[in-house]
Amino acid sequence: MDSILSDINAIYGVIGSFVCDGDGALLAVAVPPGSGNGTAQGCAASSVAQIVTGLKSVSLSDVGEVDLHCSNGRLVVKVSGSGCLCILCAPHADVSQVNLTANVAARKLGRMIKELPKRKTIPEQSSPEQGPGREPAMAQSTEGILEKVLDLWT
Amino acid sequence: MAQKRVLVVDDEPNVVKTCKRILQLEGFSVEGASDGASAIKLYRSEDFDLVVTDLKMPGMDGLKLLAAIREHNPRASVAILTAYGTKENVVEALQLGACEFLEKPLDAKTLVAAVRRILESKGGAVVQGNLRSLSLPNIVQINCAERNEALLRIRQAGQEGKVYFAEGNVVHAALGKKTGADAVYELLTWEEGEFELQMGVSAPKRTIEGSWSGLLLEGARRMDEGMAGLVDLELLTDETEVDGDQVAANLASALKDIQGVTGVVVVAHDGSVVAHELDDAPGNRGSIAVLVLGAAGQLGKPLSLGSFSWGTVALGKEKMLLMERPDYFVGMLLNQRASAANVAASAKQALH
């Protein structure tokens, strides 16, 4: 997985990338310092997984991609099987090239995640503001939204 | 000099008859056709220097005729007649190789001038039109997607702006004393103006770095800021009570009018659908908007990507653009050819 992420990170404008499974557990991370700490990526992975799980519940079609544009960059999430490939891009990133590489990579990663015998996750680093036993606020909030949406839909 | 031959195609016999008469009086040899099928038959059997065709015709419409003619002769000059202010299908016509857009109703002087201009510039790969038919964001998107090296000139009220394209981006622009991105931001505020796109022209220098989509979004943001004062003033002077649902319905309708948008859902933060412009499943689409937008706002900052602006979700063949305003979440279904960045830039204006 690490070599796939380093191929993606070599694309012009890509800041970093990480992979998580359907439960939001981080499986591989290649993000430089300054793009959030381990806890931030763990929280993001958890939120991404919950968004994707929610989308799979409310949509009749396959979830292919979620692309979030922010003021200083964008987060491209490629969904493959039960896993998600998350790519952090700078505003000037060549996204067509990112897509070309990431679509192939996401399929490979999807197969790799499926073949994983036992979950192997990257332990999250605790930040000073957040104790290890405390549930991330972002994940709690997303979970709440998910529940609300599923309530509405059912 | 050999007499230039023009083929006029329109399903309204009077339009064909009038155009033929006007152009014949100016010395052109003109044939007419009342539908696409007979026009393509005529074009294949005889030589024409220019085809002027209506866009909307029953059976083979102007776009299909344009595609068929360009397939037969890739260097063919085809001008498209469109109704005043119509933007529908103009992008597709430009991509198919239309050389000019003429707005109906057409007066004799404009028709003759356009036909002369096209025939004189033939071979120089020039595309002409008005921003009313094809907006600057659309022109930028097409030229960047096609990686054209080209010069776009836009004229309005005695001013001329220039925008240069190369390597899939906007690389230089000038308007009066303004150059670079500032010139583009100013040009984006022009709602109308004659434009001329000349292919194969290199930029004299590079004054713009970064992506074309970022340039358009920043332009839209600046326009929002510029309009914010006016909007506040309107709100202060508006003494009538505003119905929230009506505002949402108007918003949905306005967003549906954006080129590339096929459906809209406006949903409150609690998940209830406030307004929609969809044929089916507004609740389902509304849930998708709430689900993604509810979490998106919290994802950017921890990852050092800054504050959330807009997003897209691809579900099967469907693509939904998602945006937020203080009271609502908005989901817009896009057609397959739509540029999400372009629609987002236009939607930002409608959302403020």
Side-chain angles (χ1 to χ4, degrees):
Chain A
M1 283 191 194
D2 292 337
S3 67
I4 293 175
L5 293 189
S6 75
D7 285 347
I8 290 167
N9 288 0
I11 299 167
Y12 177 69
V14 171
I15 300 166
S17 51
F18 56 91
V19 183
C20 63
D21 67 11
D23 297 328
L26 277 172
L27 301 177
V29 181
V31 177
S35 294
N37 56 23
T39 305
Q41 287 137 27
C43 291
S46 175
S47 295
V48 164
Q50 286 173 29
I51 289 174
V52 172
T53 305
L55 287 174
K56 284 177 178 172
S57 307
V58 298
S59 172
L60 300 174
S61 310
D62 289 340
V63 183
E65 181 187 297
V66 179
D67 186 359
L68 304 176
H69 292 243
C70 302
S71 53
N72 302 327
R74 61 202 270 191
L75 173 65
V76 179
V77 179
K78 299 280 179 184
V79 183
S80 182
S82 61
C84 296
L85 166 62
C86 306
I87 306 166
L88 310 177
C89 302
H92 61 270
D94 182 347
V95 175
S96 55
Q97 206 189 335
V98 172
N99 280 331
L100 276 175
T101 311
N103 287 341
V104 178
R107 280 198 291 274
K108 276 188 200 168
L109 289 166
R111 281 197 296 272
M112 290 166 93
I113 293 167
K114 204 175 170 185
E115 285 164 10
L116 279 178
K118 197 179 166 187
R119 181 184 292 171
K120 179 193 161 196
T121 61
I122 306 290
E124 288 176 17
Q125 292 166 3
S126 303
S127 70
E129 310 82 57
Q130 181 143 8
R134 201 169 139 197
E135 196 69 17
M138 194 193 311
Q140 279 179 343
S141 160
T142 312
E143 211 158 47
I145 291 162
L146 179 63
E147 276 171 17
K148 205 184 285 180
V149 168
L150 290 175
D151 282 348
L152 283 163
W153 183 242
T154 49
Chain B
M1 198 171 94
Q3 200 176 28
K4 296 285 185 186
R5 304 204 68 220
V6 181
L7 173 60
V8 178
V9 190
D10 199 304
D11 58 322
E12 290 176 42
N14 281 340
V15 174
V16 176
K17 197 175 162 187
T18 310
C19 289
K20 271 183 79 171
R21 185 79 189 125
I22 292 166
L23 293 172
Q24 279 167 343
L25 284 171
E26 293 296 322
F28 297 103
S29 166
V30 189
E31 293 293 333
S34 59
D35 60 78
S38 52
I40 189 67
K41 201 172 167 186
L42 200 58
Y43 188 85
R44 282 176 181 153
S45 60
E46 298 179 30
D47 286 335
F48 288 96
D49 298 290
L50 171 66
V51 178
V52 179
T53 177
D54 189 20
L55 185 62
K56 299 221 169 184
M57 292 187 291
M60 180 186 267
D61 64 12
L63 287 181
K64 286 179 186 157
L65 175 61
L66 166 64
I69 287 174
R70 297 278 294 184
E71 196 183 332
H72 178 74
N73 175 11
R75 296 176 62 83
S77 295
V78 181
I80 303 280
L81 290 167
T82 62
Y84 178 84
T86 303
K87 294 185 179 182
E88 202 182 340
N89 298 329
V90 171
V91 175
E92 196 176 351
L94 187 66
Q95 284 169 333
L96 286 169
C99 65
E100 180 142 354
F101 303 95
L102 304 170
E103 284 183 346
K104 289 206 282 188
L106 200 59
D107 63 75
K109 204 174 152 186
T110 309
L111 174 66
V112 172
V115 167
R116 286 224 167 96
R117 193 168 57 233
I118 296 166
L119 293 173
E120 279 166 14
S121 66
K122 203 168 174 189
V126 172
V127 178
Q128 290 160 322
N130 193 295
L131 292 180
R132 278 196 307 266
S133 306
L134 190 64
S135 68
L136 180 54
N138 279 325
I139 300 172
V140 170
Q141 182 206 347
I142 293 165
N143 283 283
C144 294
E146 308 264 322
R147 300 184 75 82
N148 289 336
E149 185 173 55
L151 161 63
L152 174 73
R153 293 172 192 271
I154 311 173
R155 297 182 190 90
Q156 186 212 51
Q159 282 187 292
E160 183 181 85
K162 291 179 185 174
V163 181
Y164 290 85
F165 301 95
E167 300 158 5
N169 267 312
V170 177
V171 292
H172 174 57
L175 174 62
K177 287 180 181 172
K178 288 184 181 172
T179 58
D182 285 342
V184 177
Y185 301 147
E186 179 74 35
L187 287 167
L188 283 169
T189 64
W190 290 11
E191 287 180 354
E192 62 176 270
E194 299 292 331
F195 71 78
E196 183 183 289
L197 184 71
Q198 201 175 347
M199 301 296 178
V201 180
S202 304
K205 56 184 171 178
R206 186 162 193 145
T207 55
I208 301 173
E209 302 289 343
S211 71
W212 63 269
S213 55
L215 187 71
L216 292 185
L217 282 171
E218 177 59 18
R221 191 189 67 76
R222 288 175 182 234
M223 282 167 72
D224 288 347
E225 278 182 357
M227 288 169 74
L230 294 174
V231 174
D232 289 346
L233 195 63
E234 278 171 19
L235 288 173
L236 283 172
T237 53
D238 188 0
E239 290 173 2
T240 55
E241 199 173 314
V242 180
D243 178 344
D245 288 353
Q246 189 56 48
V247 170
N250 292 345
L251 177 66
S253 174
L255 293 172
K256 176 83 188 298
D257 286 342
I258 296 172
Q259 194 164 29
V261 177
T262 59
V264 178
V265 61
V266 181
V267 57
H269 289 179
D270 68 359
S272 53
V273 174
V274 185
H276 72 88
E277 289 276 342
L278 290 164
D279 294 333
D280 60 353
N284 173 293
R285 270 70 177 256
S287 298
I288 291 167
V290 173
L291 184 63
V292 178
L293 290 170
Q298 302 162 58
L299 269 167
K301 281 182 182 162
L303 295 171
S304 304
L305 295 174
S307 54
F308 173 73
S309 176
W310 57 276
T312 59
V313 180
L315 299 161
K317 288 182 178 174
E318 193 171 282
K319 193 168 198 175
M320 191 189 284
L321 172 67
L322 301 160
M323 298 183 83
E324 189 180 7
R325 60 175 275 171
D327 303 334
Y328 310 118
F329 292 138
V330 178
M332 286 163 269
L333 293 180
L334 305 180
N335 70 27
Q336 290 186 342
R337 292 182 180 186
S339 151
N342 257 359
V343 175
S346 303
K348 271 194 168 186
Q349 293 174 41
L351 286 169
H352 281 277

